[in-house]
Amino acid sequence: MKKLILISALLAGLAGCNTVAGVGDDVSGGARSVQGWLG
């Protein structure tokens, strides 16, 4: 069940950005957000 939820979330995230570059931008933005919380 956890795998299904994880895969669904991943697919929803990928559907939100239509290109590989968009996925990279989203990942980079998430990393910057986490760094902001920690630092």
Side-chain angles (χ1 to χ4, degrees):
M1 184 66 178
K2 288 182 181 181
K3 282 187 179 183
L4 179 61
I5 293 171
L6 180 63
I7 291 171
S8 297
L10 180 63
L11 290 176
L14 290 175
C17 42
N18 294 326
T19 64
V20 174
V23 174
D25 289 341
D26 290 346
V27 171
S28 295
R32 283 191 295 272
S33 296
V34 170
Q35 285 178 345
W37 295 336
L38 296 176

PDB file of all heavy atoms in Angstrom:
ATOM      1  N   MET A   1       0.827  -1.193   0.000  1.00  0.00           N
ATOM      2  CA  MET A   1       0.000   0.000   0.000  1.00  0.00           C
ATOM      3  C   MET A   1       0.873   1.259   0.000  1.00  0.00           C
ATOM      4  O   MET A   1       0.567   2.212  -0.685  1.00  0.00           O
ATOM      5  CB  MET A   1      -0.911  -0.035   1.228  1.00  0.00           C
ATOM      6  CG  MET A   1      -1.881   1.093   1.278  1.00  0.00           C
ATOM      7  SD  MET A   1      -3.050   0.928  -0.081  1.00  0.00           S
ATOM      8  CE  MET A   1      -4.097   2.295   0.235  1.00  0.00           C
ATOM      9  N   LYS A   2       1.953   1.237   0.781  1.00  0.00           N
ATOM     10  CA  LYS A   2       2.835   2.404   0.815  1.00  0.00           C
ATOM     11  C   LYS A   2       3.488   2.637  -0.539  1.00  0.00           C
ATOM     12  O   LYS A   2       3.672   3.781  -0.950  1.00  0.00           O
ATOM     13  CB  LYS A   2       3.910   2.227   1.890  1.00  0.00           C
ATOM     14  CG  LYS A   2       3.376   2.336   3.293  1.00  0.00           C
ATOM     15  CD  LYS A   2       4.490   2.203   4.305  1.00  0.00           C
ATOM     16  CE  LYS A   2       3.954   2.283   5.712  1.00  0.00           C
ATOM     17  NZ  LYS A   2       5.012   2.179   6.716  1.00  0.00           N
ATOM     18  N   LYS A   3       3.836   1.554  -1.228  1.00  0.00           N
ATOM     19  CA  LYS A   3       4.450   1.698  -2.553  1.00  0.00           C
ATOM     20  C   LYS A   3       3.475   2.351  -3.521  1.00  0.00           C
ATOM     21  O   LYS A   3       3.865   3.200  -4.313  1.00  0.00           O
ATOM     22  CB  LYS A   3       4.872   0.338  -3.108  1.00  0.00           C
ATOM     23  CG  LYS A   3       6.145  -0.184  -2.522  1.00  0.00           C
ATOM     24  CD  LYS A   3       6.568  -1.442  -3.239  1.00  0.00           C
ATOM     25  CE  LYS A   3       7.865  -1.965  -2.685  1.00  0.00           C
ATOM     26  NZ  LYS A   3       8.331  -3.148  -3.402  1.00  0.00           N
ATOM     27  N   LEU A   4       2.206   1.970  -3.433  1.00  0.00           N
ATOM     28  CA  LEU A   4       1.197   2.541  -4.325  1.00  0.00           C
ATOM     29  C   LEU A   4       1.056   4.043  -4.086  1.00  0.00           C
ATOM     30  O   LEU A   4       0.991   4.829  -5.028  1.00  0.00           O
ATOM     31  CB  LEU A   4      -0.148   1.847  -4.107  1.00  0.00           C
ATOM     32  CG  LEU A   4      -1.311   2.352  -4.956  1.00  0.00           C
ATOM     33  CD1 LEU A   4      -1.012   2.167  -6.425  1.00  0.00           C
ATOM     34  CD2 LEU A   4      -2.587   1.633  -4.579  1.00  0.00           C
ATOM     35  N   ILE A   5       1.042   4.443  -2.834  1.00  0.00           N
ATOM     36  CA  ILE A   5       0.933   5.867  -2.507  1.00  0.00           C
ATOM     37  C   ILE A   5       2.160   6.618  -3.000  1.00  0.00           C
ATOM     38  O   ILE A   5       2.052   7.699  -3.580  1.00  0.00           O
ATOM     39  CB  ILE A   5       0.734   6.056  -0.992  1.00  0.00           C
ATOM     40  CG1 ILE A   5      -0.622   5.487  -0.585  1.00  0.00           C
ATOM     41  CG2 ILE A   5       0.852   7.520  -0.606  1.00  0.00           C
ATOM     42  CD1 ILE A   5      -0.834   5.417   0.901  1.00  0.00           C
ATOM     43  N   LEU A   6       3.337   6.048  -2.782  1.00  0.00           N
ATOM     44  CA  LEU A   6       4.574   6.682  -3.222  1.00  0.00           C
ATOM     45  C   LEU A   6       4.613   6.834  -4.744  1.00  0.00           C
ATOM     46  O   LEU A   6       4.951   7.902  -5.263  1.00  0.00           O
ATOM     47  CB  LEU A   6       5.777   5.871  -2.744  1.00  0.00           C
ATOM     48  CG  LEU A   6       7.145   6.411  -3.126  1.00  0.00           C
ATOM     49  CD1 LEU A   6       7.364   7.777  -2.500  1.00  0.00           C
ATOM     50  CD2 LEU A   6       8.226   5.459  -2.680  1.00  0.00           C
ATOM     51  N   ILE A   7       4.256   5.785  -5.447  1.00  0.00           N
ATOM     52  CA  ILE A   7       4.252   5.831  -6.914  1.00  0.00           C
ATOM     53  C   ILE A   7       3.231   6.845  -7.413  1.00  0.00           C
ATOM     54  O   ILE A   7       3.499   7.608  -8.332  1.00  0.00           O
ATOM     55  CB  ILE A   7       3.989   4.430  -7.504  1.00  0.00           C
ATOM     56  CG1 ILE A   7       5.201   3.532  -7.238  1.00  0.00           C
ATOM     57  CG2 ILE A   7       3.700   4.506  -8.990  1.00  0.00           C
ATOM     58  CD1 ILE A   7       4.986   2.078  -7.571  1.00  0.00           C
ATOM     59  N   SER A   8       2.062   6.883  -6.789  1.00  0.00           N
ATOM     60  CA  SER A   8       1.028   7.847  -7.183  1.00  0.00           C
ATOM     61  C   SER A   8       1.513   9.277  -6.990  1.00  0.00           C
ATOM     62  O   SER A   8       1.305  10.141  -7.841  1.00  0.00           O
ATOM     63  CB  SER A   8      -0.252   7.625  -6.376  1.00  0.00           C
ATOM     64  OG  SER A   8      -0.790   6.356  -6.647  1.00  0.00           O
ATOM     65  N   ALA A   9       2.165   9.533  -5.865  1.00  0.00           N
ATOM     66  CA  ALA A   9       2.683  10.876  -5.597  1.00  0.00           C
ATOM     67  C   ALA A   9       3.762  11.243  -6.609  1.00  0.00           C
ATOM     68  O   ALA A   9       3.813  12.379  -7.096  1.00  0.00           O
ATOM     69  CB  ALA A   9       3.229  10.954  -4.177  1.00  0.00           C
ATOM     70  N   LEU A  10       4.623  10.298  -6.927  1.00  0.00           N
ATOM     71  CA  LEU A  10       5.681  10.544  -7.902  1.00  0.00           C
ATOM     72  C   LEU A  10       5.098  10.857  -9.277  1.00  0.00           C
ATOM     73  O   LEU A  10       5.516  11.812  -9.930  1.00  0.00           O
ATOM     74  CB  LEU A  10       6.610   9.336  -7.983  1.00  0.00           C
ATOM     75  CG  LEU A  10       7.767   9.443  -8.964  1.00  0.00           C
ATOM     76  CD1 LEU A  10       8.696  10.575  -8.564  1.00  0.00           C
ATOM     77  CD2 LEU A  10       8.533   8.132  -9.009  1.00  0.00           C
ATOM     78  N   LEU A  11       4.120  10.079  -9.697  1.00  0.00           N
ATOM     79  CA  LEU A  11       3.502  10.310 -11.001  1.00  0.00           C
ATOM     80  C   LEU A  11       2.765  11.640 -11.040  1.00  0.00           C
ATOM     81  O   LEU A  11       2.804  12.340 -12.048  1.00  0.00           O
ATOM     82  CB  LEU A  11       2.557   9.159 -11.347  1.00  0.00           C
ATOM     83  CG  LEU A  11       3.239   7.837 -11.670  1.00  0.00           C
ATOM     84  CD1 LEU A  11       2.191   6.750 -11.902  1.00  0.00           C
ATOM     85  CD2 LEU A  11       4.148   7.956 -12.869  1.00  0.00           C
ATOM     86  N   ALA A  12       2.117  11.998  -9.953  1.00  0.00           N
ATOM     87  CA  ALA A  12       1.424  13.289  -9.900  1.00  0.00           C
ATOM     88  C   ALA A  12       2.434  14.426 -10.012  1.00  0.00           C
ATOM     89  O   ALA A  12       2.178  15.428 -10.694  1.00  0.00           O
ATOM     90  CB  ALA A  12       0.622  13.399  -8.606  1.00  0.00           C
ATOM     91  N   GLY A  13       3.566  14.282  -9.347  1.00  0.00           N
ATOM     92  CA  GLY A  13       4.609  15.300  -9.432  1.00  0.00           C
ATOM     93  C   GLY A  13       5.173  15.419 -10.834  1.00  0.00           C
ATOM     94  O   GLY A  13       5.410  16.520 -11.330  1.00  0.00           O
ATOM     95  N   LEU A  14       5.369  14.291 -11.478  1.00  0.00           N
ATOM     96  CA  LEU A  14       5.897  14.322 -12.842  1.00  0.00           C
ATOM     97  C   LEU A  14       4.877  14.877 -13.819  1.00  0.00           C
ATOM     98  O   LEU A  14       5.251  15.531 -14.795  1.00  0.00           O
ATOM     99  CB  LEU A  14       6.328  12.919 -13.275  1.00  0.00           C
ATOM    100  CG  LEU A  14       7.565  12.377 -12.580  1.00  0.00           C
ATOM    101  CD1 LEU A  14       7.819  10.937 -13.018  1.00  0.00           C
ATOM    102  CD2 LEU A  14       8.781  13.225 -12.857  1.00  0.00           C
ATOM    103  N   ALA A  15       3.608  14.629 -13.571  1.00  0.00           N
ATOM    104  CA  ALA A  15       2.567  15.159 -14.452  1.00  0.00           C
ATOM    105  C   ALA A  15       2.481  16.677 -14.330  1.00  0.00           C
ATOM    106  O   ALA A  15       2.095  17.353 -15.280  1.00  0.00           O
ATOM    107  CB  ALA A  15       1.228  14.523 -14.105  1.00  0.00           C
ATOM    108  N   GLY A  16       2.869  17.212 -13.174  1.00  0.00           N
ATOM    109  CA  GLY A  16       2.815  18.652 -12.958  1.00  0.00           C
ATOM    110  C   GLY A  16       3.830  19.406 -13.794  1.00  0.00           C
ATOM    111  O   GLY A  16       3.617  20.563 -14.128  1.00  0.00           O
ATOM    112  N   CYS A  17       4.936  18.783 -14.131  1.00  0.00           N
ATOM    113  CA  CYS A  17       5.934  19.440 -14.971  1.00  0.00           C
ATOM    114  C   CYS A  17       6.178  18.549 -16.176  1.00  0.00           C
ATOM    115  O   CYS A  17       6.502  17.383 -16.045  1.00  0.00           O
ATOM    116  CB  CYS A  17       7.207  19.731 -14.194  1.00  0.00           C
ATOM    117  SG  CYS A  17       7.731  18.422 -13.117  1.00  0.00           S
ATOM    118  N   ASN A  18       6.019  19.109 -17.345  1.00  0.00           N
ATOM    119  CA  ASN A  18       5.973  18.319 -18.568  1.00  0.00           C
ATOM    120  C   ASN A  18       7.340  17.939 -19.128  1.00  0.00           C
ATOM    121  O   ASN A  18       7.411  17.127 -20.034  1.00  0.00           O
ATOM    122  CB  ASN A  18       5.195  19.091 -19.641  1.00  0.00           C
ATOM    123  CG  ASN A  18       3.747  19.244 -19.260  1.00  0.00           C
ATOM    124  OD1 ASN A  18       3.174  18.373 -18.631  1.00  0.00           O
ATOM    125  ND2 ASN A  18       3.156  20.346 -19.636  1.00  0.00           N
ATOM    126  N   THR A  19       8.403  18.529 -18.615  1.00  0.00           N
ATOM    127  CA  THR A  19       9.719  18.251 -19.185  1.00  0.00           C
ATOM    128  C   THR A  19      10.674  17.763 -18.107  1.00  0.00           C
ATOM    129  O   THR A  19      10.446  17.956 -16.912  1.00  0.00           O
ATOM    130  CB  THR A  19      10.323  19.511 -19.818  1.00  0.00           C
ATOM    131  OG1 THR A  19      10.531  20.473 -18.791  1.00  0.00           O
ATOM    132  CG2 THR A  19       9.413  20.097 -20.881  1.00  0.00           C
ATOM    133  N   VAL A  20      11.748  17.155 -18.525  1.00  0.00           N
ATOM    134  CA  VAL A  20      12.787  16.711 -17.593  1.00  0.00           C
ATOM    135  C   VAL A  20      13.403  17.920 -16.897  1.00  0.00           C
ATOM    136  O   VAL A  20      13.702  17.882 -15.704  1.00  0.00           O
ATOM    137  CB  VAL A  20      13.861  15.892 -18.339  1.00  0.00           C
ATOM    138  CG1 VAL A  20      15.021  15.548 -17.424  1.00  0.00           C
ATOM    139  CG2 VAL A  20      13.245  14.618 -18.909  1.00  0.00           C
ATOM    140  N   ALA A  21      13.564  19.011 -17.625  1.00  0.00           N
ATOM    141  CA  ALA A  21      14.102  20.233 -17.021  1.00  0.00           C
ATOM    142  C   ALA A  21      13.172  20.738 -15.924  1.00  0.00           C
ATOM    143  O   ALA A  21      13.629  21.213 -14.888  1.00  0.00           O
ATOM    144  CB  ALA A  21      14.298  21.305 -18.084  1.00  0.00           C
ATOM    145  N   GLY A  22      11.875  20.613 -16.140  1.00  0.00           N
ATOM    146  CA  GLY A  22      10.910  21.021 -15.119  1.00  0.00           C
ATOM    147  C   GLY A  22      11.035  20.183 -13.869  1.00  0.00           C
ATOM    148  O   GLY A  22      10.943  20.697 -12.753  1.00  0.00           O
ATOM    149  N   VAL A  23      11.266  18.879 -14.031  1.00  0.00           N
ATOM    150  CA  VAL A  23      11.472  18.003 -12.880  1.00  0.00           C
ATOM    151  C   VAL A  23      12.722  18.436 -12.126  1.00  0.00           C
ATOM    152  O   VAL A  23      12.727  18.530 -10.896  1.00  0.00           O
ATOM    153  CB  VAL A  23      11.597  16.521 -13.323  1.00  0.00           C
ATOM    154  CG1 VAL A  23      11.965  15.640 -12.145  1.00  0.00           C
ATOM    155  CG2 VAL A  23      10.303  16.041 -13.949  1.00  0.00           C
ATOM    156  N   GLY A  24      13.785  18.743 -12.840  1.00  0.00           N
ATOM    157  CA  GLY A  24      15.023  19.200 -12.211  1.00  0.00           C
ATOM    158  C   GLY A  24      14.822  20.495 -11.443  1.00  0.00           C
ATOM    159  O   GLY A  24      15.332  20.654 -10.340  1.00  0.00           O
ATOM    160  N   ASP A  25      14.053  21.407 -12.012  1.00  0.00           N
ATOM    161  CA  ASP A  25      13.762  22.673 -11.328  1.00  0.00           C
ATOM    162  C   ASP A  25      12.967  22.422 -10.052  1.00  0.00           C
ATOM    163  O   ASP A  25      13.216  23.049  -9.019  1.00  0.00           O
ATOM    164  CB  ASP A  25      12.979  23.616 -12.236  1.00  0.00           C
ATOM    165  CG  ASP A  25      13.826  24.159 -13.376  1.00  0.00           C
ATOM    166  OD1 ASP A  25      15.068  24.099 -13.266  1.00  0.00           O
ATOM    167  OD2 ASP A  25      13.240  24.629 -14.364  1.00  0.00           O
ATOM    168  N   ASP A  26      11.993  21.515 -10.116  1.00  0.00           N
ATOM    169  CA  ASP A  26      11.185  21.201  -8.935  1.00  0.00           C
ATOM    170  C   ASP A  26      12.039  20.586  -7.841  1.00  0.00           C
ATOM    171  O   ASP A  26      11.910  20.932  -6.669  1.00  0.00           O
ATOM    172  CB  ASP A  26      10.045  20.248  -9.302  1.00  0.00           C
ATOM    173  CG  ASP A  26       8.987  20.920 -10.157  1.00  0.00           C
ATOM    174  OD1 ASP A  26       8.989  22.161 -10.244  1.00  0.00           O
ATOM    175  OD2 ASP A  26       8.158  20.197 -10.732  1.00  0.00           O
ATOM    176  N   VAL A  27      12.930  19.673  -8.207  1.00  0.00           N
ATOM    177  CA  VAL A  27      13.808  19.032  -7.226  1.00  0.00           C
ATOM    178  C   VAL A  27      14.748  20.066  -6.614  1.00  0.00           C
ATOM    179  O   VAL A  27      14.957  20.089  -5.397  1.00  0.00           O
ATOM    180  CB  VAL A  27      14.595  17.872  -7.872  1.00  0.00           C
ATOM    181  CG1 VAL A  27      15.667  17.354  -6.938  1.00  0.00           C
ATOM    182  CG2 VAL A  27      13.638  16.751  -8.260  1.00  0.00           C
ATOM    183  N   SER A  28      15.288  20.936  -7.445  1.00  0.00           N
ATOM    184  CA  SER A  28      16.189  21.978  -6.947  1.00  0.00           C
ATOM    185  C   SER A  28      15.459  22.916  -5.994  1.00  0.00           C
ATOM    186  O   SER A  28      15.996  23.310  -4.956  1.00  0.00           O
ATOM    187  CB  SER A  28      16.764  22.786  -8.105  1.00  0.00           C
ATOM    188  OG  SER A  28      17.568  21.973  -8.907  1.00  0.00           O
ATOM    189  N   GLY A  29      14.231  23.271  -6.345  1.00  0.00           N
ATOM    190  CA  GLY A  29      13.440  24.142  -5.480  1.00  0.00           C
ATOM    191  C   GLY A  29      13.153  23.488  -4.140  1.00  0.00           C
ATOM    192  O   GLY A  29      13.227  24.137  -3.091  1.00  0.00           O
ATOM    193  N   GLY A  30      12.851  22.197  -4.167  1.00  0.00           N
ATOM    194  CA  GLY A  30      12.621  21.472  -2.925  1.00  0.00           C
ATOM    195  C   GLY A  30      13.867  21.414  -2.061  1.00  0.00           C
ATOM    196  O   GLY A  30      13.814  21.587  -0.842  1.00  0.00           O
ATOM    197  N   ALA A  31      15.012  21.213  -2.689  1.00  0.00           N
ATOM    198  CA  ALA A  31      16.270  21.161  -1.951  1.00  0.00           C
ATOM    199  C   ALA A  31      16.584  22.511  -1.303  1.00  0.00           C
ATOM    200  O   ALA A  31      17.022  22.572  -0.154  1.00  0.00           O
ATOM    201  CB  ALA A  31      17.411  20.740  -2.879  1.00  0.00           C
ATOM    202  N   ARG A  32      16.322  23.586  -2.037  1.00  0.00           N
ATOM    203  CA  ARG A  32      16.550  24.922  -1.481  1.00  0.00           C
ATOM    204  C   ARG A  32      15.621  25.190  -0.294  1.00  0.00           C
ATOM    205  O   ARG A  32      16.020  25.810   0.695  1.00  0.00           O
ATOM    206  CB  ARG A  32      16.374  25.995  -2.547  1.00  0.00           C
ATOM    207  CG  ARG A  32      17.574  26.101  -3.483  1.00  0.00           C
ATOM    208  CD  ARG A  32      17.496  27.340  -4.364  1.00  0.00           C
ATOM    209  NE  ARG A  32      16.361  27.280  -5.280  1.00  0.00           N
ATOM    210  CZ  ARG A  32      16.403  26.717  -6.500  1.00  0.00           C
ATOM    211  NH1 ARG A  32      17.518  26.177  -6.928  1.00  0.00           N
ATOM    212  NH2 ARG A  32      15.338  26.723  -7.262  1.00  0.00           N
ATOM    213  N   SER A  33      14.393  24.724  -0.386  1.00  0.00           N
ATOM    214  CA  SER A  33      13.447  24.902   0.719  1.00  0.00           C
ATOM    215  C   SER A  33      13.917  24.182   1.967  1.00  0.00           C
ATOM    216  O   SER A  33      13.885  24.728   3.067  1.00  0.00           O
ATOM    217  CB  SER A  33      12.063  24.378   0.333  1.00  0.00           C
ATOM    218  OG  SER A  33      11.534  25.125  -0.735  1.00  0.00           O
ATOM    219  N   VAL A  34      14.399  22.956   1.802  1.00  0.00           N
ATOM    220  CA  VAL A  34      14.880  22.176   2.939  1.00  0.00           C
ATOM    221  C   VAL A  34      16.113  22.853   3.537  1.00  0.00           C
ATOM    222  O   VAL A  34      16.253  22.945   4.762  1.00  0.00           O
ATOM    223  CB  VAL A  34      15.188  20.721   2.528  1.00  0.00           C
ATOM    224  CG1 VAL A  34      15.910  19.971   3.624  1.00  0.00           C
ATOM    225  CG2 VAL A  34      13.902  20.003   2.148  1.00  0.00           C
ATOM    226  N   GLN A  35      17.006  23.342   2.685  1.00  0.00           N
ATOM    227  CA  GLN A  35      18.187  24.045   3.199  1.00  0.00           C
ATOM    228  C   GLN A  35      17.787  25.289   3.990  1.00  0.00           C
ATOM    229  O   GLN A  35      18.389  25.616   5.005  1.00  0.00           O
ATOM    230  CB  GLN A  35      19.108  24.455   2.048  1.00  0.00           C
ATOM    231  CG  GLN A  35      19.886  23.310   1.468  1.00  0.00           C
ATOM    232  CD  GLN A  35      20.760  23.738   0.297  1.00  0.00           C
ATOM    233  OE1 GLN A  35      20.588  24.811  -0.261  1.00  0.00           O
ATOM    234  NE2 GLN A  35      21.693  22.876  -0.078  1.00  0.00           N
ATOM    235  N   GLY A  36      16.751  25.976   3.528  1.00  0.00           N
ATOM    236  CA  GLY A  36      16.271  27.142   4.236  1.00  0.00           C
ATOM    237  C   GLY A  36      15.732  26.792   5.613  1.00  0.00           C
ATOM    238  O   GLY A  36      15.929  27.517   6.583  1.00  0.00           O
ATOM    239  N   TRP A  37      15.036  25.670   5.725  1.00  0.00           N
ATOM    240  CA  TRP A  37      14.489  25.229   7.007  1.00  0.00           C
ATOM    241  C   TRP A  37      15.611  24.848   7.968  1.00  0.00           C
ATOM    242  O   TRP A  37      15.526  25.096   9.163  1.00  0.00           O
ATOM    243  CB  TRP A  37      13.572  24.035   6.843  1.00  0.00           C
ATOM    244  CG  TRP A  37      12.327  24.314   6.052  1.00  0.00           C
ATOM    245  CD1 TRP A  37      11.724  25.511   5.873  1.00  0.00           C
ATOM    246  CD2 TRP A  37      11.549  23.357   5.340  1.00  0.00           C
ATOM    247  NE1 TRP A  37      10.608  25.360   5.074  1.00  0.00           N
ATOM    248  CE2 TRP A  37      10.477  24.050   4.735  1.00  0.00           C
ATOM    249  CE3 TRP A  37      11.662  21.985   5.130  1.00  0.00           C
ATOM    250  CZ2 TRP A  37       9.522  23.408   3.971  1.00  0.00           C
ATOM    251  CZ3 TRP A  37      10.698  21.352   4.368  1.00  0.00           C
ATOM    252  CH2 TRP A  37       9.641  22.060   3.805  1.00  0.00           C
ATOM    253  N   LEU A  38      16.660  24.225   7.442  1.00  0.00           N
ATOM    254  CA  LEU A  38      17.740  23.732   8.297  1.00  0.00           C
ATOM    255  C   LEU A  38      18.742  24.816   8.671  1.00  0.00           C
ATOM    256  O   LEU A  38      19.419  24.710   9.676  1.00  0.00           O
ATOM    257  CB  LEU A  38      18.465  22.572   7.599  1.00  0.00           C
ATOM    258  CG  LEU A  38      17.634  21.325   7.347  1.00  0.00           C
ATOM    259  CD1 LEU A  38      18.455  20.297   6.567  1.00  0.00           C
ATOM    260  CD2 LEU A  38      17.117  20.721   8.635  1.00  0.00           C
ATOM    261  N   GLY A  39      18.875  25.812   7.809  1.00  0.00           N
ATOM    262  CA  GLY A  39      19.927  26.796   8.044  1.00  0.00           C
ATOM    263  C   GLY A  39      19.376  28.108   8.282  1.00  0.00           C
ATOM    264  O   GLY A  39      19.447  29.034   8.824  1.00  0.00           O
TER     265      GLY A  39
END
